[in-house]
Amino acid sequence: ADLQQGRAKANACAVCHGQNGLASHPEAPNLAGQPIIYVTQQLKNYKTGRRTNEIMSVIAKPLSEQDIDDLALWYSSMQVEVKMAN
Amino acid sequence: ADLQQGRAKANACAVCHGQNGLASHPEAPNLAGQPIIYVTQQLKNYKTGRRTNEIMSVIAKPLSEQDIDDLALWYSSMQVEVKMAN
């Protein structure tokens, strides 16, 4: 998988998932730092229809295996730090 | 929804989703800082079967509406910071 390719392809995702992987849409998840296997599996599920969503089902349809691997690498490459609620 | 109730109920989730909401299982997503609407919707999807997963379908079945709201509040209350890959 190619990180720079992933970064470029993620521009299409930023409108809902944010430039930094933190969701800019309340119904979308954060993708920043998500485990690579999880992201890959969910994109495949949307592509095959095993998981459905109005937007994601359409977006995932044309993605190639390479696209999916690049995007999963890109999002999983983000470092995430968590501050717990007190 | 009740933050402290959510924290207590999230102990059952920590084995895969981590004490701090960062996945400790490569096939599980991070939940830290996820938008509250997204977490609520996904738990409901697992409970109704609209979304399926070997583990989550079983875990979500007995959750009450209150449980789901408390858990969603707890995870969305975590502050997340992202450092981008260069």
Side-chain angles (χ1 to χ4, degrees):
Chain A
D2 183 309
L3 192 66
Q4 298 314 329
Q5 284 286 332
R7 182 203 299 263
K9 292 172 184 175
N11 278 325
C13 318
V15 59
C16 293
H17 294 291
Q19 280 299 346
N20 63 351
L22 294 184
S24 41
H25 185 295
E27 293 180 29
N30 298 330
L31 297 182
Q34 291 292 2
I36 197 164
I37 294 177
Y38 179 75
V39 178
T40 304
Q41 188 57 54
Q42 298 314 307
L43 284 175
K44 285 180 179 170
N45 289 350
Y46 279 125
K47 187 178 163 94
T48 61
R50 191 177 174 289
R51 183 178 175 183
T52 57
N53 172 276
E54 245 181 336
I55 300 172
M56 283 307 296
S57 296
V58 172
I59 284 195
K61 201 61 75 201
L63 294 180
S64 66
E65 192 106 355
Q66 185 66 49
D67 292 335
I68 288 176
D69 289 346
D70 292 347
L71 286 164
L73 177 62
W74 168 246
Y75 282 112
S76 62
S77 71
M78 298 179 189
Q79 305 292 320
V80 171
E81 269 168 41
V82 180
K83 262 182 264 135
M84 307 291 280
N86 36 36
Chain B
D2 181 310
L3 191 67
Q4 298 315 327
Q5 283 287 330
R7 180 202 300 263
K9 291 170 185 177
N11 278 326
C13 319
V15 60
C16 290
H17 293 292
Q19 280 297 350
N20 62 352
L22 294 184
S24 41
H25 187 295
E27 293 181 27
N30 298 330
L31 296 182
Q34 290 291 2
I36 196 165
I37 295 177
Y38 179 76
V39 179
T40 304
Q41 188 57 55
Q42 298 313 307
L43 284 175
K44 284 180 179 169
N45 288 351
Y46 279 125
K47 187 178 160 94
T48 61
R50 191 178 175 292
R51 183 178 176 184
T52 56
N53 171 278
E54 245 180 333
I55 300 170
M56 283 307 295
S57 296
V58 172
I59 284 194
K61 202 58 80 205
L63 295 180
S64 65
E65 191 107 356
Q66 185 66 49
D67 293 335
I68 287 176
D69 290 347
D70 293 347
L71 285 164
L73 177 62
W74 168 246
Y75 282 112
S76 62
S77 70
M78 297 180 191
Q79 305 291 322
V80 172
E81 269 169 36
V82 180
K83 264 182 257 128
M84 307 291 278
N86 37 32

